[in-house]
């Protein structure tokens, strides 16, 4: 990798810098002008050949020393704190993602929302907060966006003004620029934890009960096809990661995503990612093509990051033809809505399939629907686990096994409620037993688990 390429990437361990050790970023125009001036002088003095062989940390130290020398040569009158901030910000600019680096180093930030160069919002614990971080101008923000998307072979310009990409840690990135974004470039980053969450973490966060955790873990181990339903930011991908953790290490898993973000820990994982069209509008590889190709790769299970269109039909057929234990997600507010969305996406495949036949495909392919919701206080919870039991006439029948029942909202705005089983023993009980998974029947006894 060339030095220029390395300067466009985040070095290993760089995001671990303790940003809190320095004062908050200074965003005055004078400071921005000074930083831009020093940055340009530095670029003019870099000896790319001499620095080519440097490892990330020595390179970072060399940049620090060069910035210090330039500050002395320019005879700038700044205090020690401002000097440290200036050195740090220029390192961020050249080795990372500029003003975003302190946010990327903050483990409490789950979303970073850049609304043009003037505003940067973050989400912490389910609540949006405005930060004091800004970019110099639209050109500065565009450079950071281009640095992010070019690392994964994507592009963004006026002819292709929308892009999905990912950061080195797997965090999901979306960018949209003028002329589609009227006020200027917009950047959205959905953070992923450096250490993937475990089911014990969700229990401690009260996102589900212990009984629900035991049940969904058993479903994954027993190779029952699972559909995860939920809205934006409800935790669908996090739950998909956790469910995949119950898959035995002996199985071959093929994952298919628009932007690779799943963090599977098994040794035998093949990761596939879609490709957008090139500048001539050719070369696109959609999810449907990857699902079809995955069937020729001898997978034990297929995990489709999110079902959005015609690939729904191919995924359902894969679930029905020997790839048991496959999983996918869909955007929907309820399990019943998720079924309606799947039916609509099957119609996108261009096959004249009667509604009853489409519903029969869904009913035979999917075993359980897990509903994840983001509640009014920003918390994320599994609000329903429902089993598909077959069809009655032209209607897919469901039975609810577990649910979260909201009882009110506290004075501080926190949602009040409890998890409980419905008392219904799932039809997949026998299948779990034949797979050697023996759950206690008391698991399905209605008990209030207050949150």
């Amino acid at each position: 990798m060339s030095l220029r390429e390395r300067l466009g990437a985040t070095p290993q361990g760089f995001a671990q810098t303790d940003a809190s050790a320095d004062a908050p970023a200074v965003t005055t125009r004078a400071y921005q002008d000074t930083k831009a001036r020093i940055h340009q002088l530095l670029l003019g003095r870099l000896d790319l050949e001499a620095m080519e062989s440097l490892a990330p940390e020595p390179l970072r130290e060399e940049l620090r020393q060069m910035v210090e020398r330039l500050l002395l040569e320019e005879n700038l009158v700044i205090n020690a704190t401002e000097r440290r901030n200036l050195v740090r910000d220029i390192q961020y600019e050249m080795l990372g993602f500029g003003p975003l680096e302190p946010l990327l180093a903050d483990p409490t930030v789950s979303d970073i929302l850049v609304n043009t160069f003037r505003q940067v919002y973050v989400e912490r614990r389910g609540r949006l907060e405005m930060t004091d971080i800004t970019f110099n101008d639209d050109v500065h923000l565009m450079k950071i966006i281009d640095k992010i998307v070019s690392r994964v072979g994507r592009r963004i310009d006026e002819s292709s003004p929308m892009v999905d990409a990912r950061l080195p840690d797997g965090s999901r990135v979306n960018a949209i620029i003028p002329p589609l974004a009227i006020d200027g470039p917009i950047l959205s980053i959905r953070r992923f934890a450096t250490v993937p969450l475990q089911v014990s973490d969700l229990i401690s966060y009260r996102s589900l009960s212990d009984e629900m955790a035991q049940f969904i873990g058993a479903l994954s181990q027993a190779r029952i096809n699972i559909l995860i339903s939920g809205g934006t930011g409800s935790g669908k991908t996090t739950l998909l990661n956790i469910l995949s953790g119950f898959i035995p290490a002996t199985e071959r898993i093929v994952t298919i995503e628009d932007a690779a973000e799943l963090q599977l820990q098994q040794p035998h994982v093949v990761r596939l990612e879609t490709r957008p069209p090139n500048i001539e509008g050719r070369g696109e590889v959609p999810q449907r093509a990857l699902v079809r190709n995955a069937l020729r790769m001898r997978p034990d299970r297929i995990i489709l990051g999110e079902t959005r269109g015609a690939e729904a039909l191919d995924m359902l057929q894969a679930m029905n033809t020997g790839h048991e234990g496959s999983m996918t997600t869909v955007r929907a507010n309820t399990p019943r809505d998720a079924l309606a969305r799947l039916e609509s996406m099957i119609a996108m495949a261009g096959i004249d399939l009667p509604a009853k036949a489409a519903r029969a495909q869904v009913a035979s392919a999917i075993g359980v629907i897990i509903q994840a919701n983001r509640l009014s206080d920003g918390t994320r919870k599994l609000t329903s686990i429902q089993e598909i039991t077959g069809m009655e006439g032209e209607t897919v029948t469901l039975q609810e096994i577990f649910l979260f029942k909201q009882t009110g909202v506290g004075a501080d705005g926190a949602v009040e409620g409890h998890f409980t089983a419905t008392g219904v023993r799932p039809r997949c009980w026998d299948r779990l037993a034949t797979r050697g998974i023996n759950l206690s029947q008391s698991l399905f006894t209605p008990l209030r688990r207050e949150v």
Side-chain angles (χ1 to χ4, degrees), residues 400-422:
E400 193 163 39
I401 311 299
F402 292 96
L403 76 155
F404 173 75
K405 187 172 183 180
Q406 183 174 339
T407 57
V409 177
D412 58 352
V415 169
E416 298 174 343
H418 60 270
F419 295 106
T420 182
T422 61

Side-chain angles (χ1 to χ4, degrees), residues 149-201:
V149 303
S150 61
R151 292 192 74 259
V152 292
R154 304 290 172 96
R155 66 183 180 86
I156 186 166
D157 50 42
E158 286 190 4
S159 63
S160 180
M162 295 186 296
V163 69
D164 286 314
R166 66 180 185 276
L167 295 179
D169 64 359
S171 297
R172 184 191 314 165
V173 176
N174 175 268
I176 182 168
I177 66 173
L180 300 186
I182 297 172
D183 298 321
I186 306 296
L187 177 66
S188 305
I189 300 175
R190 173 68 53 81
R191 294 288 312 285
F192 261 47
T194 305
V195 179
L197 293 176
Q198 304 296 322
V199 68
S200 57
D201 297 314

Side-chain angles (χ1 to χ4, degrees), residues 334-351:
T334 67
R336 182 62 66 182
D337 288 345
L339 295 178
R341 282 217 65 205
L342 281 179
E343 187 178 338
S344 299
M345 289 186 282
I346 290 172
M348 296 179 188
I351 299 175

